[in-house]
Amino acid sequence: GQQLNQSPQSMFIQEGEDVSMNCTSSSIFNTWLWYKQDPGEGPVLLIALYKAGELTSNGRLTAQFGITRKDSFLNISASIPSDVGIYFCAGQEDYKLSFGAGTTVTVRA
Amino acid sequence: DSGVTQTPKHLITATGQRVTLRCSPRSGDLSVYWYQQSLDQGLQFLIQYYNGEERAKGNILERFSAQQFPDLHSELNLSSLELGDSALYFCASSVSGNSGNTIYFGEGSWLTVV
């Protein structure tokens, strides 16, 4: 499948801090998605981006679809303890989702 | 709760055996996807069905097969199991399977091969 490079691989953040993670790909995607996975759960969709250059917010989350359609970033503002988890980016082309390796976020209280 | 139901939640079986994982998509969703999540490979797309027919194939081994039934539930069959098949298997569903449709994931089925 497609290779998505997601970074950073993990991060420790202080409660209240802003967080940023990104994904890049060598291929173009029509849709970029950001998921969060909690232990023992399936990935839950956070934000979907459908147009190059699109900037979308969902509460404290903001994501952007890169102009080249080969990258996306996710920002979490004012992090709280429940932001802990693994965040995955995914690029969608036709019927398939290709996932990044995930960013593990741990919040220091 | 995403509305996608998977059974069983946990399964332990021996090498060489065969198992079947079951998925019920969200009400109204016609498309079902199967993904495998392992520590070393991450989340990998296996196969997609739409309204009973196979639509796309990903990194699915020949020992694995899937089908979607007229009532739209799906089963993933894993045979001649190997230790490396131990993973979390997710089912997901969407309305039509086209780009832009939100894909909802189930909670997964943990398979341990011993």
Side-chain angles (χ1 to χ4, degrees):
Chain A
Q2 310 275 17
Q3 280 292 99
L4 269 66
N5 297 310
Q6 185 173 350
S7 64
Q9 190 174 12
S10 62
M11 56 171 59
F12 288 86
I13 57 175
Q14 195 76 29
E15 188 175 347
E17 279 183 349
D18 294 347
V19 170
S20 188
M21 60 194 79
N22 69 82
C23 260
T24 59
S25 169
S26 57
S27 302
I28 288 173
F29 288 108
N30 296 323
T31 302
W32 278 94
L33 306 152
W34 285 93
Y35 286 85
K36 180 180 180 231
Q37 186 175 13
D38 292 326
E41 308 275 334
V44 174
L45 182 65
L46 300 175
I47 289 182
L49 303 156
Y50 301 111
K51 206 187 313 184
E54 180 181 353
L55 185 71
T56 297
S57 292
N58 177 10
R60 294 179 295 107
L61 306 176
T62 302
Q64 184 157 32
F65 191 150
I67 290 290
T68 64
R69 294 164 63 195
K70 294 182 178 181
D71 63 302
S72 176
F73 71 75
L74 174 71
N75 287 338
I76 306 173
S77 63
S79 54
I80 60 177
S82 63
D83 289 334
V84 162
I86 305 176
Y87 292 78
F88 291 97
C89 64
Q92 184 172 5
E93 184 184 4
D94 294 329
Y95 316 117
K96 295 190 288 188
L97 282 181
S98 298
F99 284 87
T103 295
T104 301
V105 173
T106 308
V107 178
R108 294 193 210 97
Chain B
D1 181 5
S2 67
V4 179
T5 305
Q6 288 187 249
T7 57
K9 288 200 186 318
H10 300 273
L11 190 57
I12 301 175
T13 191
T15 53
Q17 295 297 305
R18 172 191 168 95
V19 299
T20 297
L21 309 180
R22 194 178 190 280
C23 170
S24 294
R26 289 185 339 136
S27 177
D29 284 359
L30 299 178
S31 194
V32 168
Y33 311 74
W34 286 97
Y35 288 84
Q36 179 193 57
Q37 186 176 35
S38 59
L39 281 174
D40 56 343
Q41 295 289 323
L43 264 164
Q44 297 281 324
F45 169 71
L46 295 178
I47 198 165
Q48 181 205 3
Y49 280 81
Y50 174 73
N51 205 20
E53 293 193 4
E54 182 184 305
R55 177 168 269 188
K57 230 174 191 177
N59 302 322
I60 188 166
L61 300 171
E62 286 195 11
R63 300 183 285 110
F64 297 178
S65 65
Q67 54 184 327
Q68 186 180 26
F69 294 88
D71 67 352
L72 301 177
H73 91 270
S74 178
E75 292 180 355
L76 179 67
N77 301 299
L78 315 173
S79 61
S80 302
L81 285 166
E82 302 174 0
L83 295 177
D85 296 329
S86 296
L88 188 53
Y89 291 85
F90 285 108
C91 172
S93 73
S94 67
V95 171
S96 72
N98 295 328
S99 183
N101 285 157
T102 300
I103 299 175
Y104 296 90
F105 283 79
E107 293 186 349
S109 292
W110 274 104
L111 173 66
T112 303
V113 182
V114 297

